Amino acid sequence: MATEGKIDPMHQFEVQPIFDGFTLFGQQIDFTNSALWMFVVLVLLYVFMMGGMKRELVPGRWQVMVEGVVGFIDNIIANSIGPNGKKYTPWVFTLFMFILFSNLLGMMPFGIIPGIHPFTVTSQFTVTGLLAAISFSIVLIVGFWKHGFKFFSLFIPHGTPVWMMPLIFSVELLSFLVRPFSLALRLFVAMIAGHILIKVFASFVVQAIDAGGASWGIALLSILFIAFVSALELLVCAIQAYVFALLTSLYISDAENLH
Amino acid sequence: MEVYGSQFFWLLIVIGIIYFGIAKNMVPKISKTVDDRQKRISDDLAAAQAGQDKAEQIEADYRASINDARADAVSKVNEAKAKVAKKNEAAIKRADTAIAKKADEADAALKAAQSEAMKEIEAVAAEAAQAIVKTVSGAKVTATDAKKAVKAAF
């Protein structure tokens, strides 16, 4: 927790119950600030998509935007999975849009409004981990459903000499099992790192102004740096959403089109 | 620790709503709109192409009929010319024969007139010769002799 007069860069990632919920399977389910922002993401996403539902022959700006996003996801699927990938479009779309909106919403300067504490849903490893786990489960289920035990041939690339097979198999299996963690960690770390960086430099600004005198230069420099990192973070927000969606579809492609 | 439960719970609800409500329900409609538009565009382009082909066909037909008509006209003109030429030839021939006949008649009439004139001249000459001989020599010459002599002299 932030102590009086100091900025704790980790405070922004704390999940706090807004009101108490109920108990499910021995777990206390509270409505938290994290849940609140998830629903904000949901509402924003719904509003965004409704703007594209006018279904006009000659689209307006908003409809072009929505159709562009949908076409973008369709392209990812078509390029990495191929014609069989149509049935995975909803999941990849869900991933991409949820992560993109969460990332961008976390970057919005809502903090200047008193009483509102912005929260980046995707900076929680619980959230990114669950998303990655669902993606990985889809890969496993599709892989074993479609190919049975032949799915293990994924871990032996073509042309592997027989005596190399055990080694290659274990290495490939390891890299396969690491996938969900790398998927979840990449997004989580990217989001948390950027936010911490901004907060740390923000605390520099406060401390430099408190110190007074020549420290004003440091404060100015820090503000410039915050602006720079914020711009970079906006880019990272989009890139991380894209990477998550792209890697998910590539992993699904492994299961769908086993070589 | 109690945070994980609520995180998972609410995330699953939100993700579920997005998946079933938006991604499964709204996205296909948007894709369909795009596909419909694409189809409409390609259909319109095909219709335009068909229209252009039709127009070109009509123009080709028109040109062909114009050419046919022109050829027809030319052949008719030639035919008419040939007919007229034939008619003229026949007329000229007819006129020629008529003129030749008239010329022959005139010739014959001329000849007759000439021989008549000759006869008269002979007769006049014989009479003159008879008279001259009578006057000059006092011999009587019969008309028949004089006639004979004049004929010989001519």
Side-chain angles (χ1 to χ4, degrees):
Chain A
M1 283 296 269
T3 49
E4 205 62 44
K6 278 215 164 175
I7 295 175
D8 176 9
M10 299 308 284
H11 176 59
Q12 56 177 326
F13 304 115
E14 258 164 45
V15 178
Q16 290 154 333
I18 294 174
F19 42 83
D20 291 342
F22 47 90
T23 313
L24 188 74
F25 304 125
Q27 284 276 346
Q28 175 70 23
I29 308 290
D30 292 332
F31 193 80
T32 59
N33 55 345
S34 168
L36 173 68
W37 285 98
M38 284 179 204
F39 278 101
V40 173
V41 166
L42 173 63
V43 169
L44 283 180
L45 180 54
Y46 179 74
V47 168
F48 175 72
M49 293 305 288
M50 275 320 278
M53 290 298 283
K54 274 176 270 173
R55 316 190 64 179
E56 284 164 3
L57 187 64
V58 178
R61 281 156 201 261
W62 198 315
Q63 199 182 335
V64 164
M65 230 163 24
V66 176
E67 284 172 3
V69 170
V70 171
F72 177 67
I73 301 291
D74 282 345
N75 261 337
I76 292 179
I77 296 285
N79 288 336
S80 40
I81 306 183
N84 295 335
K86 275 259 177 268
K87 50 187 172 293
Y88 306 109
T89 307
W91 174 243
V92 176
F93 179 85
T94 306
L95 274 182
F96 179 77
M97 292 310 268
F98 180 74
I99 294 171
L100 183 68
F101 273 63
S102 304
N103 290 354
L104 289 176
L105 198 61
M107 284 305 296
M108 294 299 131
F110 294 128
I112 59 172
I113 304 166
I116 293 185
H117 300 288
F119 182 86
T120 313
V121 180
T122 39
S123 66
Q124 300 294 310
F125 188 64
T126 350
V127 172
T128 62
L130 186 61
L131 294 177
I134 295 173
S135 288
F136 195 62
S137 311
I138 291 173
V139 172
L140 286 181
I141 291 169
V142 168
F144 283 111
W145 188 276
K146 277 195 74 153
H147 306 290
F149 282 108
K150 248 191 81 197
F151 185 53
F152 285 111
S153 69
L154 179 68
F155 308 131
I156 303 169
H158 276 302
T160 313
V162 178
W163 57 274
M164 283 283 282
M165 272 186 185
L167 184 64
I168 294 284
F169 184 85
S170 41
V171 169
E172 289 278 332
L173 180 64
L174 195 67
S175 88
F176 180 76
L177 292 177
V178 162
R179 278 176 181 182
F181 299 100
S182 69
L183 205 54
L185 276 171
R186 187 180 298 113
L187 175 58
F188 156 69
V189 166
M191 293 327 293
I192 212 165
H195 283 78
I196 289 176
L197 207 57
I198 291 171
K199 276 284 150 62
V200 166
F201 278 100
S203 72
F204 282 178
V205 174
V206 175
Q207 284 165 8
I209 290 173
D210 280 350
S215 307
W216 278 94
I218 294 173
L220 206 65
L221 208 64
S222 300
I223 287 178
L224 278 177
F225 202 78
I226 290 173
F228 171 71
V229 173
S230 297
L232 191 69
E233 275 301 291
L234 286 176
L235 189 67
V236 168
C237 287
I239 289 175
Q240 286 300 327
Y242 173 61
V243 165
F244 205 108
L246 182 68
L247 284 178
T248 295
S249 48
L250 284 177
Y251 295 160
I252 291 175
S253 166
D254 277 347
E256 179 73 28
N257 319 308
L258 192 61
H259 52 245
Chain B
M1 277 306 279
E2 82 267 22
V3 158
Y4 293 99
S6 35
Q7 287 279 70
F8 284 155
F9 179 79
W10 295 114
L11 179 62
L12 281 177
I13 285 182
V14 170
I15 285 290
I17 294 173
I18 294 177
Y19 185 84
F20 290 104
I22 296 177
K24 277 218 141 178
N25 189 25
M26 290 161 88
V27 170
K29 284 178 192 158
I30 290 166
S31 295
K32 197 173 169 299
T33 311
V34 175
D35 292 347
D36 284 354
R37 183 183 307 128
Q38 206 56 47
K39 194 173 167 296
R40 171 92 186 260
I41 288 170
S42 51
D43 282 1
D44 284 1
L45 282 180
Q49 185 63 45
Q52 188 172 348
D53 289 350
K54 201 173 167 194
E56 274 168 8
Q57 181 63 41
I58 287 171
E59 198 193 341
D61 287 354
Y62 163 76
R63 273 180 199 287
S65 68
I66 283 276
N67 284 344
D68 281 359
R70 188 166 292 152
D72 206 27
V74 166
S75 75
K76 269 203 178 125
V77 165
N78 284 340
E79 216 170 89
K81 262 185 195 161
K83 217 183 217 171
V84 167
K86 227 183 203 170
K87 219 184 215 168
N88 280 354
E89 220 169 280
I92 287 169
K93 221 179 213 168
R94 236 185 358 253
D96 268 356
T97 51
I99 288 167
K101 206 172 156 195
K102 252 183 197 159
D104 285 353
E105 274 171 16
D107 211 24
L110 197 65
K111 259 181 192 153
Q114 205 171 10
S115 63
E116 194 95 345
M118 214 55 175
K119 238 181 232 168
E120 245 162 68
I121 287 172
E122 271 172 32
V124 172
E127 263 171 47
Q130 227 177 319
I132 290 169
V133 168
K134 197 180 178 181
T135 322
V136 173
S137 63
K140 260 193 110 179
V141 178
T142 60
T144 326
D145 284 345
K147 244 177 210 174
K148 231 177 231 167
V150 166
K151 219 166 215 169
F154 273 112

